[in-house]
Amino acid sequence: MKKKRWNFRCGRIPCAKQLCRIMKLTSFLLFVLFFQVSAGVFSQNNGRLSLKAEKESVNNILKLIEEQTEFRFMYNANNINVERKIDINCESKSITEVLNILFKGTNVKYRSFNSNYVLYTDAENAVEQTQQQKSVSGKVTDSSGAPLPGVSVVVKGTTSGVITDADGKFTLAKVPENATLQFSFVGMKTQEVKVTEKNNINVALQEENVGIEEVVAIGYGTSIKKNVTGNQSTIKSEELKSIPTSSLDAALQGKGAGIDITSANGGMINGLVKVRIRGNGSINSGTQPLWVVDGIPIMSDEGGSRAQINVNDEALTPSINFLSDLNFDDVESVNILKDAAATAIYGSRGANGVILVTTKSGKQGKGKIDFDYKRTFSNRINQIKLMGAKDWIKTNQTAWTNDGRTGDFPLPVQKLFADTLANGTAAYTRDMMNNTDVNWMNKMLRTGITDEYSLSMSNATDKSSYFVSGNYSNISGIMIGQEVKKYSIRVNLDFKPIDWLKVGTKSSYACSDANEVSTLSGSGIRGISWPLGAISNPGYLNAFNLPVYPEEYADGSPFEPGGLNAPYQINDKKLYDNTYKTYHLVGMAFLEFQLLPGLTFRTEAGLDNYRQPYNVYGGNQSKGGATTYWLKTNYVREGGDETQKTNFNAVLNYNKIFKENHNISITLGTERTSTQYKTMYWQNWNVTTENHLNGSASIDYDNKGTATYKSDLFDEKFEGFFGRLNYSFKEKYLFGFSIRRDGSNKFGPDNRFGVFPSLSAGWIISDEHFFKNEVINLLKLRGSYGQTGNSNIQMYKYQNVYSPWGYYNDEQWLMLLSLGNKGIQWEKSNVVDLGLEFGLFNNRISGSVSYYNKLTSNMLLNSSPAPSIPAGVNPSSRSLITNAGGIKNTGFELTLSTVNIVTKDFKWTTDFNFSTNTNKVTSLDKSYAGTPFSISGDERIAIMEGHPIGEYVLTQFAGYTGKGDDQIYQVNQDLRTNSNQYQLESTGNKILATASNLANNRFFTGKSGIPKFFGGIGNSFTYKGISLDLFVSFRGGNYILLDGISRTVAGEASMNKDLINNTWTSSNANAKYPRLSYNGLSAEKDADGNAIKRAEAEDRYLVKGDFARLKNVRLGYSIPKSLLDKAKIKSLMIYTDIQNLLTISHLRYFDPEISNSLRVSSIGNGYGAGSLNYAPSLVSGTPFPNVSTVQFGIKLGL
Amino acid sequence: MVYNLIFKVMMMKIKPALYIISLLLLGFSCQKDDKFLSDAVPSYLSASEPITNADLQSLTYGNFFAFTGFSQQGSPFDGIISYPILASGECDQISIAANTSYRNMDHWFTRKNEDVDLATKDFWTHIYYVTNQASLVISKLGQFTDKVEIEPILEGQNRFLRALTNYAGVLCFGAPYGSDNSSRAIILYDEKSLSTGPKDLRSRNTVEEVYTAIINDLKIAIEKLPLTWDSAADPTMAKYKILPYKAAAQMLLARVYFNMGKEHWNDALPLINTVLGYSQYGLEADPRNAYDLPKGVIPGKETIWCYSNEWWSYHDSPFIWNLLYEPNASVFTMHPGFGRAYPISQQMLNYMGWNDQAEASKDLRYTRNFIRFEAGNDPLIAYQTLNKAYVWPLKYEVSFRASLSMMRLAEMYLDKAIILFNSGDKTGAASALKVIRDRAGLPEISATAITEEDIHKERAKEMIFEGDWLRYLQCQRKDIPGTTTLKWNDSSLVLPVPLEERTYNPNI
């Protein structure tokens, strides 16, 4: 109805709808502006002011100028009558002209220090003059010892004062002997020093890190922290320092309450990092937060939708953590928005939280040049311990004999290879086996070394500022063959070409040149999914890690049975070359207009362009000339990805204080985001140098079916309109409302848009008169309710997609790839957040406590329609996205910062955060009823109503049979069949653990892979120039299923050193592991007399995932100023930083943070990428190890 | 001063202008919502229904690909082929190699394990994908103006495919024909009854309705399909017989009539004679070549219709092939879970007479297509603990890219033999059987000596591991041997509708 009315009014005007919308907005803005009160000030920031007020007190006018400009006034109200009411109406006057008008006809005079004005009367001056006694000079620095120019130094209670010069020095004449000097500077804590007999006073100001007056980034704007009603954590650049991780997300681990961060890939270069804010909110949709760098929503680690199409090519295009291209040293602050009040303005993409990263800008004062060099050594930690050759042989022989066989167990190089062995290479003999002992892990892994150089320069004037930086890293990974060179530059500029216009850019460009180790067919250790050295499948490459395989034969020729290369050979670039380059541009440009006093219009255009060309050349020759089996011929694959995200937003901001106590802030805006993804490759075998060089290799019809091409393209779009209203009364009662209407082309035309509102309120109790007390200086209660959305699913799910599927010669076939569900809509999260913020003893103790309840509904769930519905061609990934089911996440968060000890030379501070999370599936699509693992696809991992995501459903160990095979408890089969609920009671019967018994006797363990609590504790100590930071992160309540370990005893006799002396024998009946068996055969026989294949009771391999880790130890020493001054160096610091020095966990074999999955993506694509939403802790195979690093660095400031 | 003046003038003029420009910019970005968001579907995705006959042709090829299986584990051949083989006692359940990963094949024997459901679901699902897409193509024929000359052949191909799929479905999910023809079998999709989306939940059609639909489709397909490959009109791939010719539709219809029971054998016989009369088809001289040729690409003259791995080039042979037909150790078969799992059952060996090695070695089919490992001599370590000798099929073991013959002329001779014998024409029966025995290197059985059992045994030896035995016994209302003997129409031989379908579809 409404729409029609507008059309009618607009008649035939072209673009009527747009105009109508504009008119609506205009009307709204005019409505807002009519509320403009009698005073307004418009600063053009070059000192020219426009001011209009009627019958307003001088006091209020000065306040107004202070609020909306950079000018500050100091005066003694007893001597100057500031309650005097005046009329003023001036346009574009300088501050001195304005002051002349304000104090015309009085005896008030002023002195200025940059933007600070001291107002005084002649009488005051006279008094000062009579009291003058001595002159005091000194130097003001920041906590690191760098000089602070522009600090206001005032004799307390007077107007006498100066501003420090570019070197931070000051001289104040005529200071009364018993006076107190007050040192103040924006962003620093004000410090008072008594003047005694000293003539020289040096002061180091402390940063106001947790200051309640601190300005923090919020969505599409900034706010005073005290006035924020949403729940957010702020992490300043100082806290990140030089944490030796490869990406910003990894560096945030343990830094903020409610944010659970895991480096899922351990020591991988650019390894992916899993970030979960307030738990897993979805089963199939993405659960990574939205990262916004300088206003641009960037591609997050897994590449978001990039992963959705490219998933099958995982092995050849390494997953890149996009955040690894962001130089830490460039980051000013990171704000993590958690509740709906904070994130609803990001609407559709806010459900998983939003992380705002602000990079540095130049600051006024003397120019700064910083140089940082660091060298980092990495070594693997917490890796499974492996047997040497003797133990391995003994273990296998025992296993062979245990199976009732006589003689020697077969040589690990099987009959299969005998043919090839005969064909050119020497045979593998038992003697050779008995006389070889090689530690292949040591052959493949090494100490990784990274050199990193950073240089930055910055400065600012009142009309412009710049921050320019460059970074170069040369990384050698811990696996031989991993070599990466990275380069990045950043240019952050802003100008005010004219008074009412500010323009600027924040842009970075990073590129890298990398050689990746082979990942084909699970070679090397990166892709191993089988237990190390599993003997019954020696055809797998990992078998070539067996200690009994020599590097070479006696004659010096390489050991390559069956043409297989040993892993270290695969990493030989001459034999296998897998290189890729990355080019990553993240750029933003903005225009900001000052339209009216308090009213700004800002528009930003952002571009995030990522390209990754790669090529893989596999020779058909191994080191010894044998033809490798998986590369039957030589192989070429060339291709690349390109992802381009463009973002445009336009935002009107209006701030106004009226009638002194009413503060209103309005934001209105619109945003469009478009992400295009393209990928293309071709690959071919049988490529000769000749035909490759002349290009003919790209078409290979003669050798049908070997040439493959692949290309993909999609364009994901978002469009949003948003508004926010914040109102505060007396700066004590705070209210907030925000709303966003978001559209996405992931949904059909009828469901494209969703509306996401939020409401919040706060009460600063400590500002009430009745509450004033000496102990509690801040007590703020806040609460919010809001709705956010999630649309992180694959593209084109609402429409039928027919796709060319293949071709033969020039004949192509089309297939219905997936059936669309036209009805899908936004996944929604309703979030309630309650919090209490506090500051005690002049903020010596500060922190907050929060409770959240996040209820995801309308979940975008991969559900299978009835099988008779022709939904897609592949039964294993045949699914429709539907809105079904819900998840509830609740938890508490505590942050605490304390200044424990502070003396002149020594300071000790502590930061602590602790979060809990309880996760429960509240409802599910009915097609999942009774099949707890139908979503996870793994019978051991349940997703079921009333249970946490990923609860383990396992069989229970019931001791060994008399012959050393695992037994499990049988469950009540009738109950299982009838209820189909898996809420099973044990019958107490013990049965042999076989595959089919396992399938029928699992029960809910009440344990899941999702942590129930996590947090971090950091302690900083400074003594003169020495600083020591210790940071511990911890996590717990989750369980890890050691899938790989269980399989090492299920017949795949392995190299796991823990098997030694720990397997069942008649004299060791309570051993940790069952009887060794070469083929995993039970001692029991079936009716035909054949051996029964056994399995392993599963709950034995479930271990607690709790860990505490000394994540960081950093020791720094700042060379004293006195030594540096002569060399004209501002600061010089040397430091060392050790990461992952100590880990306390229940895991004997692996690192508690890693899992064997390469991806942390949560796109529900059926290929396992989404599985980490619910299976974060399944360790099978031999995952890439985590690392401990030692870093040495030097930081120079000029 | 001058600057101030200019600035003042500018501000007077510019401020309202700025105000308007800002609002315009804001308004501009709020332009018509749908355009920006609907622009995004890339042209390579045909997100709409087909709009040309060329699209229909591509969809037809795609649908043949879908029929032959998207993935190894999900292949409908698992259901179509393995179920009849395993259920009728043709093979022995050793499966040590197979039962540790991927899929526990025990379910085919016990049919109690929930894995049965997992496997039948794949098969059930595929039936509807294929029949719905075939129906979509048929429904669109005659609507477009391009390539009108291919419309008849497209109709023939799609009707053949739909009939083939429905037939596989009714064999497994329906009662045998003649048992209870009013019982429910599978859902029929046809050109007038296409799926309309996730909410379109239907009830099953009866056995009678399904057979009627199959026969109707095949009659039209016979009419529309060409006799041979026409290089001018047909795509290259058609010569690989992955797309059906007239003979394929005729043979399939003959098979359908034959399996409907003796009452329908008279309908089958003319079709069998027609197929046997085509000059382009004939038995291969070497029984080995009946299955895969040395190159394994272009099938031989014995093949009427086949599954061509080479042609699809996307994947290797169906999973069941790995389980059944890979007796030799290789890189992959060393791995538990891959490789052969099922030898010929002891019962079948005794029936065929192949437990007698002297007897068996006279038969070229045995010597060329099977391999025997004595107890303890199996090259696969996993089978070294077996305490008996087993005979393993290697009908298709040469090449992963072999063309797998799904319809073979030999079956027509065996059909003819039993039909003629049944009608009292022993001479005709002996003559048809002679063709098969000649090729196997066995002496002729004279018209006077021939017995019904001779024809059955010959069929067992010729067709074993081709999914024939169960339906052959059923069409003659004979008991089904196995671990326990079952009546021909025992309800346990009918696969249950998958649990997920029953859960989700109240109309089933």
Side-chain angles (χ1 to χ4, degrees), chain A residues 160-225:
Chain A
S160 172
V162 292
I163 300 293
T164 56
D165 65 13
D167 295 324
K169 291 179 177 164
F170 69 93
T171 304
L172 196 58
K174 304 165 188 172
V175 181
E177 242 175 43
N178 57 350
T180 299
L181 293 188
Q182 213 170 31
F183 296 83
S184 58
F185 190 68
V186 177
M188 297 285 188
K189 287 177 189 163
T190 299
Q191 214 178 100
E192 293 183 355
V193 178
K194 274 216 155 192
V195 177
T196 48
E197 291 171 355
K198 286 189 289 185
N199 289 337
N200 192 301
I201 296 177
N202 293 332
V203 169
L205 293 184
Q206 297 298 317
E207 288 80 2
E208 205 161 30
N209 281 340
V210 290
I212 53 174
E213 299 298 333
E214 187 185 348
V215 174
V216 292
I218 56 174
Y220 307 97
T222 55
S223 174
I224 303 285
K225 187 172 180 175

Side-chain angles (χ1 to χ4, degrees), chain A residues 91 93, chain B residues 3-13:
Chain A
E91 283 259 343
K93 299 284 187 202
Chain B
Y3 170 78
N4 275 346
L5 191 65
I6 294 170
F7 180 71
K8 273 182 187 171
V9 174
M10 273 176 63
M11 286 306 291
M12 282 169 65
K13 299 277 184 201

